[in-house]
């Protein structure tokens, strides 16, 4: 883990997506952070010791899916599948499919595995799974502010973890999509999909993979804009309940959390979110091939 000294910083950005606004000051106290996302090897050690079963591996309750064919209700997760050619980038369903049997052990479905990917970030983990691992490890998941502060590596309001200039194919700052999304990926330093942790340069605090590779869970509920501390007029408990309810997608009761850091699927023409200020919503029960996590520890 790396020691992250506390401080006050300007959080967010007004240059890209609306949910990154407003730019405002936030203060975090000192903490320790994993230098890279949790790997398949470490998650396997957790499962071996505890017998934990991830959300993606559990049977589905037909009551949660009224009208669905029970034969279709099999455990699994979302799997990225490249398209045959250019498609309308407004419809994400064209490159995501339900992977029956997909789990952290078999990220792309029943025929896949991780024996040759033990040093890659674990994926197909839900928010609950990440919390369970963190508790076992004597740690916790970071807040959005902690994650962004750490990812910036001491660079105030820089666009990327390495500075303000975009990276280039010859000097990539992180594992993000190379080529044409979602049908042509030439590979980031040779890696298509996730890469071993530590493959790309660290930021100023010695943290790896804060730009791309996998999105990472935080504990904050997602809002369409930043909720600036001190602006709410309700008590803390009520505020949390309101944020949890408001974070869910229309028609759903499942809260959504903030993901940070972007992933290997982020492409400039579609998802320029491999930046410290970038954020993305994800339902607590979701597991996919591009979401992982790292932990922090209080000092």
């Amino acid at each position: 883990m790396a020691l992250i000294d506390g401080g006050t910083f300007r959080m967010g950005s007004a240059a890209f997506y609306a949910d990154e606004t407003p730019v405002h000051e936030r203060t975090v106290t000192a903490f320790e952070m994993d230098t890279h996302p949790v790997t398949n090897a470490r998650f396997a050690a957790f499962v071996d010791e505890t017998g934990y079963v991830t959300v993606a591996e559990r049977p589905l309750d037909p009551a949660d899916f009224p009208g669905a064919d029970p034969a279709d209700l099999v455990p699994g997760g979302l799997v990225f599948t490249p398209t045959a050619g250019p498609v309308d980038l407004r419809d994400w369903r064209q490159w995501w499919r339900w992977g029956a049997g997909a789990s952290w052990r078999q990220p792309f479905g029943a025929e896949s595995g991780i024996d040759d990917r033990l040093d890659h970030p674990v994926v197909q983990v839900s928010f609950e799974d990440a919390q369970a691992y963190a508790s076992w490890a004597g740690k916790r998941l970071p807040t959005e502010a902690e994650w962004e502060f750490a990812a910036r590596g001491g660079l105030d309001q820089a666009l990327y973890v390495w500075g303000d200039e975009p990276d280039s194919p010859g000097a990539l700052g992180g594992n993000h999509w190379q080529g044409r999304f979602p049908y042509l990926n030439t590979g980031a330093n040779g890696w298509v999909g996730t890469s071993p942790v530590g493959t790309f340069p660290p930021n100023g605090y010695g943290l790896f993979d804060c730009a791309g590779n996998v999105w990472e869970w935080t504990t904050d509920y997602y809002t369409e804009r930043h909720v600036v501390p001190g602006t709410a007029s309700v008590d803390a408990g009520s505020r949390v309940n309101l944020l949890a309810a408001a974070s869910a997608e229309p028609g759903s009761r499942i809260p959504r959390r903030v993901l940070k850091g972007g992933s290997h699927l982020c492409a400039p023409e579609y998802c320029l979110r491999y930046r410290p200020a970038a954020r993305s919503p994800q339902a607590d029960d979701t597991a996919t091939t591009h979401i992982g996590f790292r932990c922090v520890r209080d000092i």
Side-chain angles (χ1 to χ4, degrees), residues 35-37 119 195-202 208-209 213:
T35 56
H36 56 72
D119 56 352
S195 53
V197 296
T199 297
F200 295 84
F208 295 90
D209 292 333
N213 212 0

Side-chain angles (χ1 to χ4, degrees), residues 19 32 35 44-45 56 63 66 77 127 137 149 152 204 216 245 271:
D19 65 352
E32 292 179 312
T35 56
F127 179 76
F149 179 84
R152 290 187 176 280
E216 299 181 21
C271 172

Side-chain angles (χ1 to χ4, degrees), residues 7-298:
T8 298
F9 73 111
R10 288 184 293 169
M11 184 174 180
S13 171
F16 294 92
Y17 302 103
D19 65 352
E20 299 171 19
T21 64
V23 177
H24 61 287
E25 283 196 349
R26 294 290 286 270
T27 299
V28 297
T29 57
F31 60 97
E32 292 179 312
M33 187 176 226
D34 290 345
T35 56
H36 56 72
V38 173
T39 61
N40 284 314
R42 288 300 299 152
F43 199 81
F46 156 62
V47 171
D48 288 345
E49 183 172 312
T50 65
Y52 183 82
V53 178
T54 63
V55 171
E57 298 171 284
R58 300 172 194 171
L60 302 181
D61 186 348
D64 293 334
F65 304 91
D69 184 345
D72 293 333
L73 298 180
V74 295
L78 289 174
V79 174
F80 173 78
T81 305
T83 59
V87 294
D88 185 347
L89 296 182
R90 293 172 294 182
D91 184 8
W92 59 267
R93 294 173 180 82
Q94 295 183 88
W95 54 84
W96 285 105
R97 66 175 175 84
W98 178 255
S103 71
W104 73 274
R105 303 175 192 270
Q106 300 168 308
F108 299 97
E111 302 304 316
S112 63
I114 59 170
D115 288 347
D116 59 345
R117 305 165 70 90
L118 294 178
D119 56 352
H120 288 232
V122 65
V123 295
Q124 295 289 10
V125 285
S126 70
F127 179 76
E128 179 183 330
D129 303 332
Q131 279 197 312
Y133 173 93
S135 178
W136 169 79
K139 305 176 185 179
R140 61 176 174 83
L141 297 182
T143 66
E144 181 181 5
E146 287 173 331
W147 200 101
E148 184 169 329
F149 179 84
R152 290 187 176 280
L155 299 179
D156 180 42
Q157 279 289 288
L159 295 183
Y160 303 98
V161 300
W162 56 82
D164 286 321
E165 296 301 319
D167 57 2
S168 63
L172 290 178
N175 179 2
H176 58 89
W177 188 280
Q178 305 296 302
R180 298 293 181 182
F181 187 85
Y183 61 94
L184 175 63
N185 188 353
T186 58
N189 287 0
W191 295 99
V192 175
T194 58
S195 53
V197 296
T199 297
F200 295 84
N203 73 357
Y205 291 156
L207 304 176
F208 295 90
D209 292 333
C210 290
N213 212 0
V214 292
W215 283 102
E216 299 181 21
W217 288 107
T218 74
T219 57
D220 284 51
Y221 292 110
Y222 178 79
T223 53
E224 294 183 354
R225 287 168 58 87
H226 283 301
V227 177
V228 180
T231 59
S233 59
V234 297
D235 65 85
S238 297
R239 178 175 178 273
V240 169
N241 291 336
L242 289 170
L243 288 174
S247 71
E249 288 188 285
S252 173
R253 295 177 296 176
I254 300 173
R256 292 185 296 173
R257 308 280 173 162
V258 174
L259 302 180
K260 298 289 281 188
S263 80
H264 58 89
L265 298 181
C266 283
E269 71 269 26
Y270 170 66
C271 172
L272 189 56
R273 287 189 165 92
Y274 47 93
R275 299 173 291 104
R279 54 209 302 266
S280 182
Q282 194 60 259
D284 282 10
D285 64 343
T286 300
T288 77
T289 49
H290 73 330
I291 298 177
F293 68 100
R294 78 179 74 201
C295 302
V296 298
R297 183 166 56 201
D298 296 316

